[in-house]
Amino acid sequence: MDEQKIPYKIYLDESEIPSKWYNVRADMKNKPAPLLNPGTLKPMTAEELAPVFCEELVAQELNDTDAYIDIPEEIQNFYKMYRPSPLIRAYFLEKALDTPAKIYYKFEGNNTSGSHKLNSAIAQAYYAKKQGLKGVTTETGAGQWGTALSMACSYFGLDCKVYMVKVSYEQKPFRREVMRTYGASVTPSPSTTTNIGKKILADHPGTTGSLGCAISEAVEVATTTEGYRYVLGSVLNQVLLHQSVIGLEAKAAMDKFGIKPDIIIGCAGGGSNLGGLISPFMGEKLRGEADYRFIAVEPASCPSFTRGKFAYDFCDTGMVCPLAKMYTLGSGFIPSANHAGGLRYHGMSSTLSQLYHDGFMEATSVEQTSVFEAAEKFARVEGILPAPESSHAIRVAIDEALKCKETGEEKTILFGLTGTGYFDMVAYEKYNDGVMTDYIPTDADLEKGFAGLPKIDL
Ligand SMILES: *Cc1c(COP(=O)(O)O)cnc(C)c1O
């Protein structure tokens, strides 16, 4: 195909929104390790998971054999409100970098929640509604997941209780108001509304909170309140499944123009956007049909893949959730409050962890000032104000494109632009004022987290 004919934006037709999610676990030879019951250390059964999660979501969580799972029509209809999302050729960025590389990004920030999280929030709310529940509880860090879930719950008339990491609750009052506008109740975590919150506050007075704490609180409320279940915005297999809509659309759009990416890059917090973006491409790699380089980008301040341990760990600080085998910094690890925005979770999707462990994927970490430098460059030439999380992927996409400039290689790079950064202006302000700093935990800092890993002999 003649290069010039590739449009700035490749849109799919509404009818081309996927009608099935793709479950990459079906094509993995080494399946991700099962969730374990923290009491018995046996794999969690559907019955054991049912008090915490919605039934159909439990089935999806445990399903590692069906490659395709139907997207219910009501979810497909909701997707039509803001999907298909555009695949954009970054012609302006390429020109600014003077690189022979061809750069594409899949933009998921085109909905009010401002990120890809709505793709899974609407699915989880749908299954809760279908089960006849009154409402759901959840945690939110930077606020995107809580916002997405509050939108999804209001669509289905479900109550939504959000535990928001205290530091974000205080730094991002407008996020909170968006959630309240959609009808959610928002509590800063740790709080005195739960037993685990009270305990964490007693043990760590003055703590600014963490996702792990907020998860413990949300799970406690869900399991002790009639008609409620807990939902999670990342990390779990079911969330990666829902997010596969990103990769399926990206691949369909690229296939239309015969484009094959060499490198696929995504930021990694709990792994859901990255997992969703790469899934169909990874499927081809696993089946031996094509080869791609996949790069997970994480913050140097919370380096689960690059400096973590591949081990069974608790998903939450209160140690009430099942154990997951994943790359982890330990459930007691609390990242520096200095680090802006999301990507602060101590662990990583067990599916991506297994793929990384088996050598199907690479990972790298980047420091936040260099992330904001990339964000600013991108905003100035491509127009979109990127979320700090997404900008981790931008950083590495730019670095790979600059390598192509040196070698003269015309590589095709695809990255996930997961969201917009309008609620992150305090961080942008710090960067603009030249007072943003980088924080890299020392080995001794990390050892403290590892010391809290459960001692399990399997
Ligand atoms: C939540 C979020 C992320 C990170 O979460 P993953 O589950 O790793 O995808 C990245 N970008 C944005 C904009 C987010 O809101």
Side-chain angles (χ1 to χ4, degrees), residues 27-68:
D27 283 310
M28 290 169 67
K29 236 186 238 132
N30 295 334
K31 308 289 184 196
L35 294 170
L36 296 188
N37 180 318
T40 63
L41 299 185
K42 296 252 161 56
M44 292 289 288
T45 61
E47 294 71 43
E48 288 172 321
L49 288 166
V52 183
F53 298 114
C54 306
E55 281 157 25
E56 292 227 25
L57 293 168
V58 168
Q60 292 178 358
E61 192 61 29
L62 300 178
N63 184 340
D64 55 15
T65 49
D66 293 324
Y68 288 94

Side-chain angles (χ1 to χ4, degrees), residues 140-176:
T140 198
Q144 288 97 320
W145 167 246
T147 309
L149 188 68
S150 62
M151 289 173 70
C153 284
S154 82
Y155 182 77
F156 286 119
L158 286 166
D159 182 39
C160 179
K161 297 188 196 303
V162 179
Y163 282 82
M164 185 170 188
V165 177
K166 193 183 272 168
V167 60
S168 305
Y169 183 89
E170 284 160 4
Q171 283 180 0
K172 300 187 175 185
F174 293 151
R175 268 276 174 218
R176 194 167 81 208

